[in-house]
Amino acid sequence: MITPLAGQQIVLDGTIVVDAGVVTGATSITSTALVGTTLSVSGLTNLTGSFSQAVHTFVATDAITSAEHAGRILLLGEVGGNADVVLTLPDATGSGNVYEFIVSVTMPSNTYKIACPDADNTITGQIQYLDEDGTAVTAFPTVAASDTITLNGGTQGGRVGDTLTLIDIAADKWMVKGLMRVAAGANPATPFTAAVS
């Protein structure tokens, strides 16, 4: 362990500086495990190691935020599947933030809704559906005013294991892609509406 005196730095190879726990001048870092709550990377040409992706479970109505939810696995897991869950997206700014949802609890008679924060924000893209009556696959595209996605555990998908990804691609613009299943005896229906006012 090398401990510099207060106000001093450690300089390695004349270019890498360690000062108060901050490393500058490094062009690559290799680690078998990085531990901490925040990692800020600027100017490195190579960063390797293992990063754990956090999992967050939504069990009730909530606001989605970039700080808490971007880049994480987001489980739609309302306990018992017996209460509506409405999730409000942040304002799209073109940040590139990715929100990946996986259904972990099927709603037997209620819904998961993912909605834009206001009528200026819209969603573009499509969700594919496997109709389990056979091998038929259906895809539902958004329309220009789509701002809400509803999963009902039935015709609109939302069964355990179904997936949905939303990406903040531009100011007021979200992109969606998803894979859903509809149980035998039901026909797929569009999950998209223009419900935000």
Side-chain angles (χ1 to χ4, degrees):
M1 174 184 279
I2 300 172
T3 306
L5 297 174
Q8 293 184 338
Q9 304 172 337
I10 298 172
V11 180
L12 307 171
D13 287 340
T15 58
I16 301 171
V17 177
V18 180
D19 187 7
V22 176
V23 178
T24 57
T27 58
S28 69
I29 295 175
T30 302
S31 175
T32 57
L34 294 172
V35 179
T37 57
T38 304
L39 175 63
S40 178
V41 179
S42 177
L44 296 178
T45 58
N46 183 17
L47 182 63
T48 61
S50 65
F51 297 89
S52 296
Q53 188 171 31
V55 175
H56 178 86
T57 303
F58 289 103
V59 296
T61 294
D62 202 353
I64 298 170
T65 66
S66 60
E68 284 185 84
H69 307 112
R72 297 183 175 170
I73 298 299
L74 306 171
L75 300 180
L76 299 176
E78 196 280 320
V79 179
N82 55 14
D84 288 335
V85 173
V86 179
L87 304 175
T88 305
L89 293 165
D91 189 38
T93 61
S95 68
N97 285 338
V98 177
Y99 301 84
E100 298 207 36
F101 297 89
I102 300 172
V103 178
S104 61
V105 175
T106 299
M107 290 286 206
S109 59
N110 294 81
T111 62
Y112 293 111
K113 286 188 180 180
I114 301 172
C116 288
D118 55 47
D120 292 332
N121 281 256
T122 57
I123 303 169
T124 186
Q126 69 176 351
I127 298 177
Q128 292 183 332
Y129 287 81
L130 172 64
D131 188 344
E132 292 183 342
D133 283 326
T135 58
V137 176
T138 302
F140 290 102
T142 57
V143 296
S146 294
D147 58 24
T148 303
I149 300 167
T150 302
L151 307 178
N152 63 5
T155 60
Q156 295 170 310
R159 299 181 67 203
V160 172
D162 287 355
T163 62
L164 186 68
T165 302
L166 284 151
I167 304 172
D168 177 349
I169 61 169
D172 297 330
K173 184 62 72 179
W174 289 92
M175 190 283 297
V176 65
K177 60 182 176 178
L179 296 172
M180 301 285 159
R181 293 168 297 134
V182 173
N187 293 319
T190 185
F192 300 113
T193 57
V196 178
S197 57

